[in-house]
Every structure is written in C-alpha cells, then in structure tokens.
Amino acid sequence: MRYFTLLAAALVVLACALPRTYAGNDYLWGEIGANDYKLEKTTVSKAFFVGLVQTKKYTFKQSDNLNALTITAIKVTDKKKRNGATAELISGGPGSKGATIKFTSVRGGGIKDVVEIWGR
C-alpha cells in the first residue's frame, strides 16, 4: 500500500511538471493569395482590469475610396495564448473595401492581437 501511495504521488508531481500548451484565439477570414498585398498590419491592445471584461473595436478604412483595394483576407493572431481575447468580424471583410472587428477579453484579461489585412 505504501508503494502505491508513493507511486501515485510521483505521478501527480510529474503531471504538474509537464509543460502546458494553450491554444490562442487565432482567426483567418478569407484566403491569402499569391498576388495579394498586405494592406495593413497593426497591433490591437487594451490593458486588463481585475474583474472586468474588456472590449475594443478596430476599424479598417482606406482613404481613397475610388482606388481602394478589395480585401481578400483578414488574419488575427492572438499574442496572449493563455487568456486571449476573441475576435468577431462585425462588418465588412473579404470582398469589401473595409472591415470592423470587435475584440472581447476574458474576465480579468486584456487584449493583445495582431491584425493583418490582405487585399488586391
């Protein structure tokens, strides 16, 4: 019985020592083609506040509407792998000239995401 308890305790310690991997909230709307240009790359961030859910809207607009390129893909990479924010495309996106993305953090977490917009 003593060896069983010792073996169980060793397994618990080993399981706690293994590195944990966390999946971030990465998104890709559309497809990045070979002839596409990176229209914008920016970091969207907002600091955490204990006990609150943080939200932030990011809007992409092109200045010259007549010569504006069409968005083919939007790639969002979450830099906070443990308590990352979710992203929701609320308007525009692939096939349009602009886009608005809403980021929502977990309770007590912040927002830190890299947004890449591709088009042609």
Side-chain angles (χ1 to χ4, degrees):
M1 186 69 177
R2 182 200 248 164
Y3 294 111
F4 177 73
T5 307
L6 188 60
L7 179 64
L11 288 175
V12 168
V13 169
L14 181 63
C16 291
L18 292 175
R20 293 193 171 106
T21 58
Y22 297 97
N25 297 318
D26 296 340
Y27 300 92
L28 177 64
W29 294 289
E31 288 185 28
I32 301 171
N35 297 327
D36 293 349
Y37 298 101
K38 190 182 293 187
L39 303 177
E40 182 162 295
K41 180 178 180 179
T42 187
T43 301
V44 177
S45 61
K46 190 168 185 180
F48 76 93
F49 196 81
V50 178
L52 294 180
V53 174
Q54 300 287 22
T55 61
K56 186 164 186 175
K57 284 187 182 177
Y58 165 75
T59 302
F60 171 74
K61 272 185 356 182
Q62 298 181 56
S63 60
D64 187 9
N65 209 12
L66 294 176
N67 295 324
L69 299 174
T70 302
I71 296 172
T72 56
I74 299 174
K75 182 179 177 183
V76 176
T77 306
D78 189 7
K79 293 298 182 182
K80 297 184 105 189
K81 298 298 181 189
R82 188 167 184 175
N83 290 324
T86 58
E88 179 184 359
L89 185 62
I90 56 176
S91 70
S96 65
K97 307 287 184 190
T100 301
I101 304 170
K102 180 182 176 185
F103 294 91
T104 306
S105 74
V106 295
R107 185 167 305 280
I111 299 169
K112 187 170 184 183
D113 292 81
V114 175
V115 178
E116 295 178 32
I117 299 182
W118 297 79
R120 65 177 113 130

